[in-house]
Amino acid sequence: MSEPIIQFEKVSKWYEEFHVLRDIDLTVAKGERIVICGPSGSGKSTLIRCINALEEHQEGRLVVDGIEITDDVKAIEAVRKNVGMVFQQFNLFPHLTVLENLTLAPMWVGRVPKKEAEARAMTQLARVRIAEQAGKYPLQLSGGQQQRVAIARSLCMTPKIMLFDEPTSALDPEMIKEVLDVMIELAGMGITMLCVTHEMGFARSVADRVIFMDQGQIVEQNTPTEFFAHPKSERTRDFLSKILSH
Amino acid sequence: MDTALKPPVIARRPPVRSVGALAWLRASLFADWKSTLATLCVAALIVRWLPDFFNWAVVRSVTQPDNAACRALDHAGACWGVIAEKYRLILFGRYPFDEQWRPLLATLLMVGMLVASCTRVLWSRWLAVVWIGVLAAFFVLMRGGVAGLTPVETARWGGVPLTMLLSTLSIAAGFPIAVLVALGRRSHLPAIRTLCIVYVEMIRGVPLISVLFMASFMFPLFMPPGITVDVLVRVLVGITLFSAAYLAEVVRGGLQAIPKGQHEAAAAMGLSYWQTQRKIILPQALRMVVPSIVNSFISTFKDTSLVTIVSLYDLTGSLALALGGDANWRQFYLEGYLFIAAIYWGFCFAMSRYSQWVERHLNVGHAH
Amino acid sequence: MAVIATVIWFLAHNTVENMRVRGIQSGFGFFLQPAGFDIGESIFAFDSADPYWKAFLVGLSNTLRAAVVGIVFTTILGTLIGIGRLSRNFLVRGLCTGYVELFRNIPVLLQLLMWYFILNEWLPPVSEALNPFPGIFLSKSGMSFPVPEWEQGHLVTVIGLALGIAGAWVYRRWARATFERTGVARAMFWPSLVIVIICTLLGWVAGGSPTALELPVRNDLNIAGGGAVTPEFLAVTIGLTIYTASFVAEIVRSGIQSVPWGQTEAAGALGLSRGQSLKLVLLPQALRVIIPPLTNQYLNLTKNSSLAVAVGYPDLVSISNTTLNQTGRAVECITVLMAVYLTLSLITAALMNWYNARSAIRER
């Protein structure tokens, strides 16, 4: 087991009066691939969004890649340089071409010259098998293509951690596979991955650990084989029966 | 990894410093230095101006129509007495004093009808019929000459009833024109399409005042020699044509938002052009643009104030009528302005709130 | 079809008949005749012996003058208030919301009349003019301000300014090319500004440092010298600015809100700073939504300046009205009037279509 890259210590978060994350203790090792599942409203998206400070926690200590997350803007920007995120709604920039979407952050944050940024971008686009669309605009692409571009965009910053917030939930069924294939390939590259998803097949094939969350807490975590074969908690069994039945 | 199950954590209240009234105030007003600066500036402005304004408008004001008391104030306080003295002139223009119950009743009828039209429950075919009845009643009340009511010529109509008449009638008459023009713009006949486009773009490209001038000065020339046209009618025609052009664009937006499938389905059922429009397309399109139509009505209502320039004494013009000639009260123009501004504001604000409500509750939106 | 043709024929026939009966002449020749009236305010010399067409030109220049000043200030004010409506500070937010709801719902003519009244009532008479800053006087006769006396040296200064702008443009191109080549971003705004200022100053010094300002001077009866604007102009510009700003504020606000929150999040998640995400992601998208209705408001402001006739500001409509009353040539005057405004509208519409076509976000 390698050294921890993400450390949650009794982290709690409230939305107004609602206790959305309750005393989360979690350690993620470098290179580990984690799938987080649970019913809606359980706080799983909020959990991963705390990692790159898109959500602010009120109690507890959260350390990402050696930097503690506080209100310090500089610290947050430093963390975000090393953490990539893929959103459910893709969130590509519609006024820029695919290539410009990918070179934006390397040029403006990473201070990479344009030629090199474009070369890097083309490499990533080739990796997600969409290099021929480099000159197109995001809204000219299908959902699956857009999500793959989004993954490539995050990869251009060579992140140490990749966060996926329900990446396939907004896709038509026939496009889910192309995105999952890309993510499986990514998993083989050694990047630390945290993925919130309902795709249990993906969890079985790729994850080192599956975490089940309910009502703001980590209820259960285990290796995929153990998790699916012998769920320990009643709530886990209940959830699994609902999503594995169809 | 630790695979043991842990005891459940019960939900707690958030830490004190992050919620509650005090925390909210701090986050809202003093979040960073810019916010703090803004808060201090605004607070300073309020502290400086609000008590003075309150003193002027309320504490030291005179509400009795007492000219001597008002003059004695010497602008230290508001003279609302001028309103008390002149309100009938301002509200009803030069309408004969004794008969002013008639414009009052007519206005109330019209306002009542407008409010009734807003309640969804009453939307039906009968609404149009009742509207025509109310408009007829309005004219009868104002004009007189029947049922024992003394005739009052249109030149003496003024104030609020005139404003209501101009805005309501111009929208009511402009609406059918707008629908026809909107349909015409999408027509396949180039002559009709060009005519409609020219009409809309010409009217939208020029200020209302020039349309009113055109109506005022050029309209009599269009009539056969010897026929004179009432000033009110001329102005009404002008405002109607103006509103109709803008309404046509609104309706056209709604028509454009109807998916082609609707036209195709109607054609497949064998409906003619006019049947399709009447039964299928227009009802959907018009529903979609109700908020925009209400906004048009608000604009027209505000635009009626321009008729003062062509010498009709609507609410804005009647103020000049009431105060301009009276040396005693002329210095209290500001209070008069504030009074009619408040009337306009109240009406427009209510209508805009209604428009927002319609947008939310009828599941309609901007049909771009 | 036939119906429309008949109607048009009917109207035309009546018009000709009427004009014959009333002895109204037609034709645009009268535009060359002397006007016979003075115009209270103009940026170039005009007296009653000048022809009507020149009077119309003065009117047009007055309209454009009020419109340009109004557009500049309403954009600034409207943008600030629009942003203020989205502020987290509830005092600022409430104030801006109150502003919009108040001025949007009162007719613009009424607002112009009120401003004219306030300026007339509350400004002191000329003999006691306010002097808030040296060289600026405010009174019932309007506002006087210093204007530079035109000399040779000023020409050199203007050349310096032009060179400065060119220099700044060159700098920006160089900075951008360097950024793309090496990845090191260079500041754009401040160096450009410094270049413009330095070049202008150098030009000014080279021209002999002309400092002669024509200062308005208070004497017994009035303020003499300097540039001046009438209270009518002030009333029109202030009224139009404040009214239109309430609409501009709403346009700016809804433009900013039209950009989905996810865009800001994605920009942040990539490591872009707040300033960078604003410049590269938020503003480009917001501006595409803001600019079309904004140009519409500019056009509305220009059209609303026609209401200046109610406060006595000699804009195009006002001059047209005077001419019409004097000569009885209603058809010609109104035609010219409408033609001018139509041209302005069509130019604006064309510009807007060009902008839309160029910046449209491409979809399937």
Side-chain angles (χ1 to χ4, degrees):
Chain A
M1 202 44 118
S2 34
E3 70 287 15
I5 196 171
I6 302 176
Q7 187 100 2
F8 280 79
E9 285 170 24
K10 288 241 170 312
V11 170
S12 266
K13 180 185 167 60
W14 285 263
Y15 280 137
E16 307 282 318
E17 300 281 328
F18 177 54
H19 198 172
V20 59
L21 288 178
R22 302 183 194 180
D23 294 342
I24 301 281
D25 283 308
L26 176 66
T27 307
V28 178
K30 205 187 249 187
E32 204 180 345
R33 297 151 308 184
I34 296 184
V35 165
I36 307 175
C37 61
S40 63
S42 54
K44 38 190 210 299
S45 284
T46 314
L47 181 78
I48 66 168
R49 284 159 65 93
C50 283
I51 296 176
N52 67 353
L54 285 181
E55 301 282 355
E56 207 185 309
H57 59 274
Q58 280 89 29
E59 261 183 23
R61 196 161 166 269
L62 172 57
V63 181
V64 176
D65 195 27
I67 304 172
E68 184 178 347
I69 305 229
T70 54
D71 336 342
D72 180 16
V73 175
K74 290 274 175 272
I76 292 179
E77 281 178 14
V79 165
R80 287 177 178 176
K81 283 198 188 112
N82 288 320
V83 177
M85 184 153 191
V86 175
F87 299 86
Q88 185 178 351
Q89 300 296 336
F90 331 138
N91 286 336
L92 292 177
F93 305 133
H95 61 294
L96 302 174
T97 61
V98 164
L99 192 64
E100 286 166 351
N101 262 276
L102 267 66
T103 56
L104 185 74
M107 278 168 66
W108 288 90
V109 182
R111 296 168 176 251
V112 172
K114 186 169 176 188
K115 288 258 179 330
E116 195 187 316
E118 284 182 354
R120 248 200 246 180
M122 290 310 293
T123 320
Q124 298 301 340
L125 285 176
R127 167 171 290 144
V128 300
R129 292 186 278 277
I130 206 169
E132 70 281 4
Q133 311 284 358
K136 292 253 178 76
Y137 284 85
L139 293 177
Q140 292 172 313
L141 305 176
S142 74
Q145 289 171 320
Q146 289 187 51
Q147 193 62 300
R148 285 188 279 150
V149 170
I151 296 175
R153 181 175 67 171
S154 305
L155 289 175
C156 277
M157 290 295 285
T158 52
K160 294 183 191 158
I161 303 170
M162 278 291 280
L163 305 172
F164 293 85
D165 188 359
E166 304 210 37
T168 55
S169 298
L171 294 176
D172 291 334
E174 67 270 17
M175 296 194 235
I176 293 182
K177 181 176 185 307
E178 68 194 58
V179 174
L180 285 181
D181 285 342
V182 166
M183 286 167 68
I184 292 174
E185 220 183 278
L186 217 61
M189 280 167 45
I191 304 180
T192 314
M193 275 171 67
L194 280 92
C195 188
V196 173
T197 184
H198 297 298
E199 299 292 326
M200 293 301 132
F202 174 76
R204 263 192 248 260
S205 59
V206 145
D208 296 319
R209 191 184 349 169
V210 177
I211 294 177
F212 174 69
M213 277 186 76
D214 191 18
Q215 289 182 356
Q217 286 182 262
I218 295 179
V219 173
E220 188 172 337
Q221 53 183 328
N222 219 326
T223 58
T225 23
E226 276 302 304
F227 182 83
F228 290 114
H230 306 117
K232 290 198 183 126
S233 154
E234 182 63 44
R235 286 191 276 172
T236 321
R237 283 195 283 273
D238 197 35
F239 174 73
L240 285 176
S241 71
K242 287 201 188 96
I243 66 162
L244 290 178
S245 57
H246 65 93
Chain B
M1 73 190 85
D2 180 7
T3 60
L5 291 183
K6 301 212 185 37
V9 176
I10 308 165
R12 299 196 293 277
R13 309 235 30 239
V16 176
R17 59 169 174 73
S18 69
V19 287
L22 215 57
W24 175 81
L25 263 178
R26 180 151 45 88
S28 169
L29 297 180
F30 302 106
D32 55 18
W33 68 268
K34 282 183 287 209
S35 186
T36 312
L37 187 64
T39 306
L40 290 174
C41 285
V42 173
L45 275 173
I46 293 178
V47 164
R48 174 83 181 70
W49 290 100
L50 202 57
D52 284 343
F53 180 72
F54 191 68
N55 272 331
W56 179 85
V58 180
V59 173
R60 286 191 284 235
S61 66
V62 168
T63 36
Q64 296 307 314
D66 182 351
N67 193 260
C70 274
R71 283 160 167 272
L73 274 178
D74 196 23
H75 292 299
C79 172
W80 302 117
V82 69
I83 311 294
E85 171 81 12
K86 299 272 185 181
Y87 76 94
R88 287 178 74 153
L89 250 172
I90 297 176
L91 291 179
F92 298 114
R94 286 185 306 170
Y95 210 86
F97 204 76
D98 300 323
E99 307 281 337
Q100 277 180 358
W101 63 271
R102 284 159 54 185
L104 179 62
L105 184 59
T107 312
L108 288 174
L109 256 180
M110 188 89 88
V111 172
M113 237 351 249
L114 277 173
V115 171
S117 307
C118 294
T119 46
R120 223 171 127 184
V121 151
L122 298 169
W123 283 358
S124 75
R125 190 167 287 199
W126 289 108
L127 196 64
V129 175
V130 178
W131 256 113
I132 298 181
V134 166
L135 282 173
F138 185 93
F139 271 106
V140 163
L141 274 172
M142 293 290 288
R143 192 81 179 74
V146 293
L149 299 168
T150 49
V152 178
E153 71 267 23
T154 57
R156 307 204 67 162
W157 297 9
V160 176
L162 186 61
T163 302
M164 295 261 25
L165 173 69
L166 287 171
S167 33
T168 321
L169 202 56
S170 69
I171 293 273
F175 194 71
I177 301 178
V179 170
L180 287 173
V181 170
L183 289 173
R185 253 190 105 142
R186 292 157 57 88
S187 152
H188 296 299
L189 300 168
I192 297 197
R193 197 169 63 234
T194 320
L195 203 69
C196 292
I197 293 181
V198 165
Y199 165 66
V200 171
E201 294 306 324
M202 242 187 62
I203 298 280
R204 274 165 29 117
V206 297
L208 175 57
I209 192 72
S210 66
V211 173
L212 286 180
F213 278 169
M214 192 176 82
S216 223
F217 294 111
M218 281 167 64
F219 195 47
L221 297 176
F222 290 154
M223 292 290 111
I227 299 185
T228 50
V229 184
D230 198 41
V231 169
L232 182 60
V233 174
R234 281 184 248 164
V235 165
L236 251 179
V237 169
I239 301 189
T240 304
L241 287 177
F242 191 76
S243 323
Y246 284 87
L247 271 176
E249 282 301 280
V250 166
V251 172
R252 188 169 78 101
L255 288 173
Q256 273 180 334
I258 304 284
K260 249 179 91 174
Q262 297 287 311
H263 292 90
E264 290 170 356
M269 288 197 291
L271 295 174
S272 78
Y273 175 77
W274 285 109
Q275 283 173 322
T276 315
Q277 298 302 328
R278 253 187 54 209
K279 300 263 178 207
I280 315 275
I281 306 293
L282 280 177
Q284 294 184 56
L286 295 179
R287 263 201 73 178
M288 257 197 269
V289 297
V290 164
S292 301
I293 294 180
V294 176
N295 288 339
S296 281
F297 187 61
I298 299 176
S299 296
T300 308
F301 188 77
K302 290 188 292 181
D303 286 340
T304 56
S305 55
L306 267 70
V307 302
T308 40
I309 301 182
V310 285
S311 309
L312 273 182
Y313 295 107
D314 76 312
L315 189 55
T316 314
S318 60
L319 183 67
L321 203 61
L323 293 182
D326 190 342
N328 281 335
W329 291 101
R330 201 183 325 171
Q331 50 199 275
F332 305 112
Y333 240 111
L334 182 63
E335 287 85 343
Y337 276 135
L338 289 174
F339 177 58
I340 54 177
I343 296 178
Y344 275 114
W345 185 87
F347 201 80
C348 293
F349 185 70
M351 282 196 285
S352 75
R353 276 278 173 256
Y354 171 67
S355 159
Q356 287 169 13
W357 178 87
V358 165
E359 233 180 300
R360 269 198 303 271
H361 290 258
L362 289 191
N363 240 356
V364 299
H366 295 290
H368 303 308
Chain C
M1 271 300 343
V3 171
I4 297 172
T6 325
V7 168
I8 294 182
W9 177 86
F10 180 67
L11 292 177
H13 176 80
N14 282 334
T15 312
V16 170
E17 267 301 302
N18 274 310
M19 290 173 73
R20 193 178 58 79
V21 166
R22 299 180 194 204
I24 301 176
Q25 301 143 299
S26 68
F28 288 88
F30 77 96
F31 272 108
L32 298 170
Q33 289 168 11
F37 58 87
D38 277 319
I39 300 182
E41 185 171 355
S42 159
I43 50 175
F44 45 89
F46 180 89
D47 65 58
S48 45
D50 287 323
Y52 280 112
W53 64 262
K54 198 162 178 208
F56 270 69
L57 208 59
V58 170
L60 180 60
S61 72
N62 281 338
T63 296
L64 290 176
R65 202 156 58 106
V68 167
V69 172
I71 285 175
V72 167
F73 284 109
T74 207
T75 309
I76 299 173
L77 183 63
T79 308
L80 288 174
I81 295 180
I83 296 177
R85 275 201 75 170
L86 296 171
S87 168
R88 276 179 44 176
N89 187 322
F90 81 85
L91 274 181
V92 170
R93 201 170 59 229
L95 202 69
C96 294
T97 308
Y99 177 97
V100 169
E101 291 298 337
L102 179 66
F103 290 106
R104 224 178 16 165
N105 288 315
I106 300 179
V108 60
L109 177 63
L110 190 54
Q111 294 191 36
L112 286 185
L113 290 173
M114 286 178 79
W115 282 109
Y116 188 53
F117 175 77
I118 289 173
L119 285 175
N120 252 329
E121 280 292 303
W122 287 355
L123 284 179
V126 175
S127 43
E128 302 156 26
L130 295 173
N131 196 352
F133 304 109
I136 300 192
F137 291 97
L138 271 174
S139 73
K140 277 200 214 292
S141 316
M143 184 168 82
S144 293
F145 45 87
V147 284
E149 259 182 42
W150 189 255
E151 281 183 29
Q152 195 69 354
H154 282 105
L155 189 60
V156 187
T157 314
V158 171
I159 293 177
L161 179 67
L163 282 176
I165 293 179
W169 184 75
V170 168
Y171 168 78
R172 287 172 78 98
R173 285 195 65 136
W174 171 83
R176 181 129 197 120
T178 314
F179 170 64
E180 290 181 2
R181 204 179 59 243
T182 64
V184 179
R186 301 219 174 263
M188 290 277 227
F189 178 67
W190 291 112
S192 310
L193 195 62
V194 164
I195 290 177
V196 171
I197 291 180
I198 289 187
C199 285
T200 315
L201 276 175
L202 284 176
W204 182 69
V205 166
S209 316
T211 49
L213 282 177
E214 195 186 327
L215 283 169
V217 162
R218 193 205 301 262
N219 56 29
D220 288 332
L221 289 175
N222 60 2
I223 315 271
V229 287
T230 57
E232 287 80 15
F233 175 83
L234 286 174
V236 169
T237 20
I238 294 177
L240 285 177
T241 302
I242 293 192
Y243 177 73
T244 316
S246 66
F247 291 90
V248 171
E250 279 302 276
I251 291 172
V252 167
R253 179 186 67 90
S254 65
I256 296 178
Q257 282 183 324
S258 75
V259 182
W261 180 239
Q263 292 288 302
T264 318
E265 287 198 325
L270 285 170
L272 291 167
S273 72
R274 248 197 86 89
Q276 285 172 327
S277 116
L278 204 70
K279 182 173 90 159
L280 298 167
V281 175
L282 212 89
L283 272 180
Q285 295 187 58
L287 278 177
R288 281 171 168 83
V289 178
I290 289 176
I291 290 193
L294 189 65
T295 48
N296 206 31
Q297 283 307 317
Y298 289 165
L299 200 58
N300 280 343
L301 189 144
T302 312
K303 288 192 288 179
N304 281 334
S305 70
S306 61
L307 297 176
V309 67
V311 297
Y313 178 68
D315 79 311
L316 185 63
V317 170
S318 172
I319 304 248
S320 171
N321 198 23
T322 315
T323 310
L324 195 154
N325 282 323
Q326 257 189 11
T327 63
R329 308 291 191 103
V331 180
E332 289 86 347
C333 286
I334 294 181
T335 312
V336 169
L337 184 65
M338 292 176 82
V340 170
Y341 275 107
L342 256 181
T343 315
L344 287 174
S345 302
L346 289 175
I347 293 177
T348 313
L351 281 174
M352 240 253 302
N353 280 335
W354 171 81
Y355 171 80
N356 264 341
R358 209 182 69 123
S359 70
I361 287 183
R362 262 147 253 159
E363 308 187 8
R364 282 196 200 255

